[in-house]
């Protein structure tokens, strides 16, 4: 499981870097940084979720389910906090590249199913 999580986060980082570069070259520095932030909002919670899953071994199916619930809740909370902090503290900001790159990092889950299965 450790290598699968690492590959997924790595794929999300690659998607983020490529998207930020495309946004930078097409629309300038603000779009590039906005895309990079959108990607970070996608891959940081995934990395935290992966760390929570690997943090301690789980002995029972109930414990595994509870650990996944905790991971998903943490992932959602971190995502909301990162979006909120980005919109409050980052100026200037270009929302379309931010959201587009965020959605691309989510699409990386589907790509990972095909690539790493």
């Amino acid at each position: 499981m450790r290598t699968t999580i690492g590959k997924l986060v790595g794929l999300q980082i690659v998607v983020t870097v490529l998207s930020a570069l495309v946004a930078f070259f097409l629309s300038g520095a603000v779009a590039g940084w906005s895309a990079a932030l959108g990607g970070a909002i996608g891959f940081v919670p995934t990395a935290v979720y992966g760390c929570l899953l690997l943090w301690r071994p789980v002995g029972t199916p109930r414990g595994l389910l509870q650990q996944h619930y905790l991971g998903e809740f943490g992932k959602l909370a971190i995502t909301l906090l990162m979006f909120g902090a980005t919109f409050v503290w980052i100026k200037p900001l270009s929302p379309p590249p931010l959201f587009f790159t965020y959605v691309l990092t989510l699409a990386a889950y589907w790509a990972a199913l095909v690539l790493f299965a």
Side-chain angles (χ1 to χ4, degrees), residues 34-52:
S34 298
L37 287 169
I41 294 170
F43 72 75
V44 168
T46 302
V48 170
Y49 177 74
C51 289
L52 283 173

Side-chain angles (χ1 to χ4, degrees), residues 11-111:
L11 179 62
Q12 288 180 315
I13 291 171
V14 167
V15 165
T16 297
V17 169
L18 293 176
S19 181
L21 286 172
V22 168
F24 175 78
F25 286 117
L26 291 179
S27 300
V30 172
W33 281 113
S34 298
L37 287 169
I41 294 170
F43 72 75
V44 168
T46 302
V48 170
Y49 177 74
C51 289
L52 283 173
L53 288 181
L54 300 172
W55 178 37
R56 63 186 165 110
V58 178
T60 65
R62 181 184 174 112
L64 179 64
L65 185 61
Q66 287 175 339
Q67 199 167 8
H68 278 285
Y69 283 149
L70 176 65
E72 285 295 337
F73 176 77
K75 189 174 159 186
L76 178 63
I78 291 168
T79 301
L80 292 174
L81 286 171
M82 288 181 75
F83 268 119
T86 298
F87 281 105
V88 168
W89 290 323
I90 305 297
K91 305 288 184 217
L93 185 68
S94 180
L98 181 132
F99 285 115
F100 183 74
T101 306
Y102 174 72
V103 169
L104 282 179
T105 62
L106 296 182
Y109 280 100
W110 294 99

Side-chain angles (χ1 to χ4, degrees), residues 4 7-8 11 106-117:
T4 304
K7 287 178 183 179
L8 173 59
L11 179 62
L106 296 182
Y109 280 100
W110 294 99
L113 286 173
V114 173
L115 295 172
F116 309 132

